[in-house]
Amino acid sequence: MDSETIRQTAARVAVELHDALRTHGYSVQVVPEPPTYGQAYVTFLSALREDEARLITDALKAYPARRNRPQSCEECRTIKRDWATAQRAGDREGAAALAWSMGQHQRRLHS
C-alpha cells in the first residue's frame, strides 16, 4: 500500500472506532497517525477510563483471534527491546541499525 492509502485507512479506522464507542455512549477522541513501517495507526487523545477500556476488552474477547501469532523468538525480543531503548534515548543511528538487523533476522529465520 502507498502512504496515501495507509493515511486514508487510518482516518477511516479512527472514525469507525470513535463511532463504535459513541454508539455505546462514550465520547472518546480517536485520531489517525502517520503511516509507520507500512501500517496504519490510530491514537486515543486521552487516557481511557476503566469502563471504556472494559468495553473494548469485552468486545475483543467475544471474537476469536483471526490468526495464530507465533511467539516471537528471543532474538526478536532482544532487538525490539534494544530498538525501543535507542528510540527513547534519541539514538537515531542505533535505532536504524537495529531496524536493519531486525529485517535481516526476519528474512533469515522467519520467512
Side-chain angles (χ1 to χ4, degrees):
M1 274 194 282
D2 63 69
S3 62
E4 184 55 34
T5 302
I6 296 169
R7 287 180 202 284
Q8 291 171 2
T9 299
R12 185 177 62 252
V13 169
V15 168
E16 289 171 1
L17 183 53
H18 169 80
D19 291 349
L21 288 161
R22 170 77 82 204
T23 298
H24 289 275
Y26 298 104
S27 180
V28 177
Q29 292 182 314
V30 185
V31 295
E33 291 290 335
T36 304
Y37 299 109
Q39 297 291 318
Y41 288 88
V42 298
T43 297
F44 294 108
L45 284 185
S46 59
L48 295 176
R49 293 188 325 249
E50 177 188 3
D51 55 332
E52 295 164 337
R54 288 189 186 280
L55 175 70
I56 294 169
T57 301
D58 291 345
L60 291 171
K61 285 180 183 177
Y63 296 94
R66 287 194 208 171
R67 62 180 176 165
N68 293 330
R69 298 185 83 188
Q71 285 190 325
S72 65
C73 72
E74 183 62 34
E75 189 172 352
C76 284
R77 286 191 295 274
T78 299
I79 293 171
K80 288 177 185 178
R81 183 189 62 238
D82 293 348
W83 178 85
T85 300
Q87 284 287 93
R88 282 192 298 276
D91 180 6
R92 295 177 70 171
E93 287 181 22
L98 286 159
W100 182 85
S101 294
M102 178 60 91
Q104 294 297 309
H105 169 72
Q106 291 287 325
R107 282 187 284 283
R108 193 173 61 250
L109 295 176
H110 300 296
S111 31

